[in-house]
Amino acid sequence: TFMQTAENWLEYCAGEMKRAGLFFGHGTDNAHDEAAWMVLHVLEAPLDGSFANWDIPLNETQAEALEELLARRINERRPLAYLTGKARFCGLEFIVSPQVLIPRSPLAELITEQFSPWLNFNEGSRVLDMCTGGACIAIAMAIWIPECTVDAVDISGEALEIASKNVQLHSVGDRVNLIHSDLFEAVDKTAYDLIVSNPPYVSKGVFDQLPEEYRAEPKSGLLCGEDGLDIVLKLLDAAPGYLQPEGILIAEVGESAETLFEFLPRVSFTWLEFDKGGDGVFLLEYDQLIACQPDVRDLLEQRKYV
């Protein structure tokens, strides 16, 4: 079978994955794209869409590697990025392992547009990426917005080990500073122009219903208490103490957006829209964060006793 072309193999892998009823959502959203990613991986070809040589045959080694990858993807129900050790985000390649979530945030669209029209960066702009995981968001910001320096914070030492490999891979060690901290605990009182966060926000009810592929990811990166809002509320409370007066907070809360809206009806969240799909991302300016602090604190107080 190994004399088949790359295209034959792509069709074969896509068909097998469809039949197996896999879930796609960790870098691709369908069997065809995932199969293309698999084939390009064994060919050691770039994943940036530039490969056009689909009529080349796979040699025996490549064919065996592909069959093994396909079998693991189907049998283990693990995201492909964990099987290859690589993922793409914002047009860049990153190292991933089961210690970190696989990057897939709609924040990518904001990063590649340099957060226009919300912010204008200049030399010395400071950005904080809270709950950075493998630091994909932090590094992408450093590369797409060369004027800024980024502090990238995570509570997981294991995640920061992967983050540090990614910082080296992209040679951005001079502008991306990794900080081991439980939220703001070990963060200096710096006035940031932008705080970005894609924190854990999945509620217990939603987590229990997730496809098996998500269970291969670190639970602590997804699950956040009964209703998914524990960390987001702490962020809303603390953020103004770390922002410039013209600064903004942008956070992704996914399907917990509705609950947040119910809890804080008086907060004027701006919910961002994305051309490439995705939702559940809000933006708040410094003044709005200050204005909503009493409501947020009341809510945090009530939740202590729940």
Side-chain angles (χ1 to χ4, degrees):
T1 55
F2 64 84
M3 288 313 290
Q4 302 285 334
T5 67
E7 188 166 9
N8 299 144
W9 275 108
L10 187 159
E11 297 307 331
Y12 168 72
C13 292
E16 291 294 297
M17 287 192 285
K18 269 189 198 139
R19 266 195 291 287
L22 299 184
F23 173 82
F24 306 101
H26 292 87
T28 71
D29 61 6
N30 63 81
H32 184 274
D33 289 354
E34 189 118 340
W37 180 7
M38 275 185 178
V39 173
L40 292 171
H41 176 74
V42 302
L43 289 173
E44 295 181 17
L47 299 176
D48 58 11
S50 63
F51 183 80
N53 204 355
W54 290 99
D55 51 358
I56 61 164
L58 268 60
N59 65 35
E60 196 166 353
T61 315
Q62 291 165 334
E64 279 172 11
L66 185 58
E67 287 190 316
E68 187 190 345
L69 198 55
L70 178 65
R72 286 191 65 193
R73 178 69 183 89
I74 289 170
N75 298 330
E76 297 176 25
R77 288 288 198 278
R78 289 160 74 77
L80 182 57
Y82 287 155
L83 303 179
T84 67
K86 297 192 182 101
R88 285 183 71 74
F89 180 72
C90 285
L92 306 164
E93 191 162 282
F94 292 96
I95 297 164
V96 293
S97 79
Q99 280 67 51
V100 295
L101 291 188
I102 294 159
R104 51 179 175 273
S105 169
L107 292 168
E109 201 173 301
L110 297 174
I111 296 169
T112 56
E113 292 169 1
Q114 302 187 319
F115 294 91
S116 168
W118 307 103
L119 280 169
N120 286 312
F121 291 94
N122 19 36
E123 266 326 305
S125 287
R126 302 285 308 271
V127 180
L128 175 68
D129 176 23
M130 181 56 79
C131 308
T132 194
C136 302
I137 287 174
I139 292 165
M141 290 193 292
I143 290 172
W144 282 90
I145 310 162
E147 302 86 347
C148 77
T149 53
V150 186
D151 288 343
V153 175
D154 207 278
I155 193 172
S156 159
E158 289 182 321
L160 289 173
E161 281 174 32
I162 302 294
S164 136
K165 289 181 180 172
N166 280 320
V167 166
Q168 285 170 349
L169 176 70
H170 290 284
S171 313
V172 287
D174 54 334
R175 290 194 299 116
V176 176
N177 174 34
L178 301 177
I179 302 172
H180 192 190
S181 174
D182 181 355
L183 296 178
F184 291 95
E185 264 174 31
V187 178
D188 293 336
K189 276 276 187 208
T190 305
Y192 294 100
D193 299 280
L194 169 65
I195 297 176
V196 173
S197 187
N198 180 9
Y201 56 68
V202 180
S203 67
K204 175 110 182 51
V206 170
F207 184 81
D208 292 339
Q209 306 295 315
L210 286 175
E212 202 172 336
E213 277 80 355
Y214 286 100
R215 303 195 187 283
E217 294 192 285
K219 190 175 177 178
S220 61
L222 294 167
L223 185 63
C224 189
E226 278 302 308
D227 59 19
L229 294 179
D230 291 2
I231 290 180
V232 175
L233 291 172
K234 288 178 184 166
L235 265 177
L236 287 172
D237 182 35
Y242 294 84
L243 275 174
Q244 298 272 18
E246 297 79 47
I248 58 175
L249 167 71
I250 294 178
E252 179 175 339
V253 292
E255 64 283 325
S256 298
E258 274 178 48
T259 322
L260 188 61
F261 199 63
E262 279 165 33
F263 281 163
L264 294 168
R266 297 195 299 177
V267 179
S268 41
F269 293 105
T270 300
W271 295 98
L272 301 179
E273 303 201 346
F274 297 96
D275 296 339
K276 297 187 177 116
D279 52 19
V281 176
F282 70 75
L283 177 151
L284 285 172
E285 295 172 0
Y286 176 83
D287 296 341
Q288 296 172 313
L289 283 161
I290 294 287
C292 77
Q293 250 183 342
D295 287 6
V296 171
R297 293 212 166 140
D298 284 349
L299 191 54
L300 283 167
E301 223 15 69
Q302 291 162 27
R303 290 163 73 89
K304 275 186 190 165
Y305 310 106
V306 173

